[in-house]
Amino acid sequence: MRILVTGGCGFIGSAFCRYIVEQTDWYVMNLSRSTYSATNVALDSVRNSDRYCFSKGDISDLHCLTHVLRKYSPDAIVHLAGESNVDLISPQKFLESNILGTNILLEATTDYWKSLPNEKKSRFRFILVSTVEVYGAFDYLKKFKEDSPYRPSSFYAASKAASEHLVWACGVGYNLPIIITNCSNNYGPYQSTKKLIPRVITKALKGEKIPVYGKGDNIRNWLHVDDHVKALILLLKFGQPLTKYNIGTSDDLTNLDVVKRICHLLDKLVPDFSFGKREKLIEFVKDRTGHNLRSSVDWSKIHQEMNWSPKESFDSGLEKTVKWYLENERWWQLSIDREFNKSPIMV
Ligand SMILES: NC(=O)c1ccc[n+]([C@@H]2O[C@H](COP(=O)([O-])OP(=O)(O)OC[C@H]3O[C@@H](n4cnc5c(N)ncnc54)[C@H](O)[C@@H]3O)[C@@H](O)[C@H]2O)c1
């Protein structure tokens, strides 16, 4: 299998590239817009493999995409490139990457796919990685299913919903063999320190205040990035065209619960009595608008059809992640330098 992954320099994309090179005999090409020192390091272990290659490019560049597709001739595309900074207050960047970029990628992919010989054409898959945020907020009794209505409440979620519609329309209208996934909040190694879990770990390690939005009662579903990658691999192998899968876990936790668990873990792993228990560092700050109170997901379809279930419980995945950040201070310092630590925490 030759896989083209867009956005392979990002958090999920780099985990995907590492998995392909380290755990399969497949080939992977990473097409991504930008590389920063922190994300570069995430790909260090695969950079010299003859089954990995990188092409710096933008999914909005039709000429570049056409060239890459012809040259690399992938059997599948996993589309991860996108703007995912949920706190951007203008929709412009979401429109550019998530909607217009996806549209151009689809145009190039459809042309490429039509040119394939029949056998390769029928095996080809295009997977769009979307988010459970497209479903909006939910009540406390049910979880989102694949056919739950789209009710986005942020520009990010609206743009991801729009990209899903474009991808689905390509599948229905032009027979492109597409699959859409809606996954919950990912966490794991090499995640930007702008995101909740790495930010809390690094703040708590430095003995700095840990800001928590509102009362910390927003509930999120947490998925270890390696479990997510394994689900994508299964879909590449067995997923049927024109299908949609939720990917999540049974771990629905309030943000405050997540923050407290990190503090307790660090107290156990790196006791530091200079500032007492790390929970004391928690500071409640004004909440943001447009963020769902609860976001939970029913992933029984992928479980039943693909026999997928997450290997990590939140506690085991969190412990591994905290230990990874403890062992990789040089990496998270790079990530902090890049973000200048001025931006708010993203969940
Ligand atoms: N991280 C999560 O918890 C999560 C949850 C659900 C869905 N997703 C989706 O998964 C995808 C990847 O998420 P992530 O957390 O790895 O994000 P990320 O920001 O770490 O990575 C995104 C990558 O895409 C690249 N990119 C952005 N726009 C591009 C463009 N126009 N052309 C080429 N490359 C471009 C960026 O340079 C970056 O390397 C996103 O589409 C996101 O919506 C993420």
Side-chain angles (χ1 to χ4, degrees):
M1 282 273 267
R2 296 168 71 80
I3 316 293
L4 175 69
V5 57
T6 69
C9 293
F11 163 53
I12 301 172
S14 60
F16 183 83
C17 292
R18 290 193 302 274
Y19 189 90
I20 296 266
V21 171
E22 289 161 11
Q23 307 290 332
T24 75
D25 56 2
W26 296 357
Y27 290 74
V28 61
M29 170 182 262
N30 166 12
L31 177 100
S32 210
R33 185 169 55 188
S34 48
T35 53
Y36 299 93
S37 34
T39 49
N40 268 336
V41 177
L43 290 161
D44 272 355
S45 63
V46 298
R47 197 174 316 286
N48 295 325
S49 166
D50 58 3
R51 289 188 289 110
Y52 170 82
C53 59
F54 172 63
S55 177
K56 185 171 171 155
D58 197 301
I59 53 164
S60 309
D61 182 344
L62 185 60
H63 180 72
C64 158
L65 289 175
T66 306
H67 173 73
V68 164
L69 286 167
R70 283 213 190 113
K71 196 170 160 219
Y72 193 66
S73 189
D75 299 298
I77 296 178
V78 177
H79 178 29
L80 284 155
E83 182 53 65
S84 61
N85 181 349
V86 288
D87 287 314
L88 291 177
I89 45 172
S90 155
Q92 190 62 29
K93 285 191 172 170
F94 298 121
L95 293 176
E96 284 165 10
S97 275
N98 300 353
I99 306 179
L100 298 174
T102 299
N103 184 46
I104 293 168
L105 177 63
L106 283 170
E107 189 182 332
T109 305
T110 309
D111 279 351
Y112 163 74
W113 174 72
K114 280 183 188 160
S115 74
L116 294 176
N118 281 345
E119 203 268 331
K120 185 158 172 163
K121 199 173 183 178
S122 62
R123 274 193 293 116
F124 185 84
R125 296 290 180 270
F126 178 100
I127 300 186
L128 168 71
V129 176
S130 188
T131 164
V132 293
E133 293 197 32
V134 297
Y135 303 124
F138 218 69
D139 64 49
Y140 278 78
L141 300 173
K142 293 187 205 148
K143 292 168 181 259
F144 304 120
K145 290 188 80 80
E146 283 80 359
D147 58 358
S148 294
Y150 290 86
R151 291 201 179 107
S153 58
S154 67
F155 293 133
Y156 166 65
S159 68
K160 292 298 286 188
S163 71
E164 284 190 36
H165 290 311
L166 291 171
V167 169
W168 193 261
C170 248
V172 176
Y174 302 93
N175 299 322
L176 186 71
I178 62 98
I179 296 172
I180 295 175
T181 63
N182 296 83
C183 69
S184 57
N185 278 35
N186 284 221
Y187 69 98
Y190 297 108
Q191 187 171 32
S192 159
T193 46
K194 276 174 90 172
K195 295 284 186 168
L196 180 76
I197 290 179
R199 176 69 69 99
V200 173
I201 296 172
T202 53
K203 290 250 176 224
L205 276 175
K206 293 195 288 177
E208 293 177 2
K209 290 275 178 216
I210 304 168
V212 171
Y213 286 113
K215 295 179 193 148
D217 53 0
N218 292 48
I219 295 174
R220 291 289 176 272
N221 183 266
W222 292 96
L223 169 69
H224 192 279
V225 67
D226 291 343
D227 279 325
H228 182 192
V229 168
K230 286 175 197 159
L232 294 175
I233 301 284
L234 276 177
L235 292 175
L236 283 167
K237 285 181 179 167
F238 307 115
Q240 291 306 306
L242 265 190
T243 49
K244 202 170 179 283
Y245 291 93
N246 285 340
I247 307 174
T249 65
S250 309
D251 295 305
D252 291 344
L253 298 161
T254 66
N255 288 347
L256 186 59
D257 193 1
V258 171
V259 174
K260 284 185 174 175
R261 285 185 198 213
I262 295 170
C263 290
H264 294 166
L265 256 176
L266 285 174
D267 287 344
K268 187 178 88 180
L269 294 169
V270 215
D272 185 335
F273 299 105
S274 57
F275 46 81
K277 287 204 182 301
R278 288 180 171 87
E279 245 187 72
K280 285 190 196 153
L281 300 170
I282 294 173
E283 180 182 59
F284 294 99
V285 298
K286 193 173 176 301
D287 205 355
R288 306 158 295 175
T289 53
H291 287 266
N292 303 321
L293 187 60
R294 183 186 170 93
S295 163
S296 184
V297 60
D298 179 334
W299 46 276
S300 53
K301 183 177 171 188
I302 192 167
H303 177 60
Q304 282 156 13
E305 292 184 14
M306 305 281 148
N307 199 20
W308 175 89
S309 49
K311 294 283 168 286
E312 298 291 351
S313 68
F314 185 70
D315 283 331
S316 67
L318 185 67
E319 182 153 352
K320 277 188 185 167
T321 305
V322 167
K323 285 181 175 163
W324 186 89
Y325 279 85
L326 286 175
E327 286 159 12
N328 289 276
E329 182 171 345
R330 205 179 76 81
W331 184 87
W332 56 258
Q333 287 293 358
L334 281 174
S335 176
I336 289 175
D337 290 348
R338 183 186 153 201
E339 313 295 357
F340 298 111
N341 234 352
K342 283 183 184 147
S343 49
I345 299 175
M346 300 193 287
V347 186

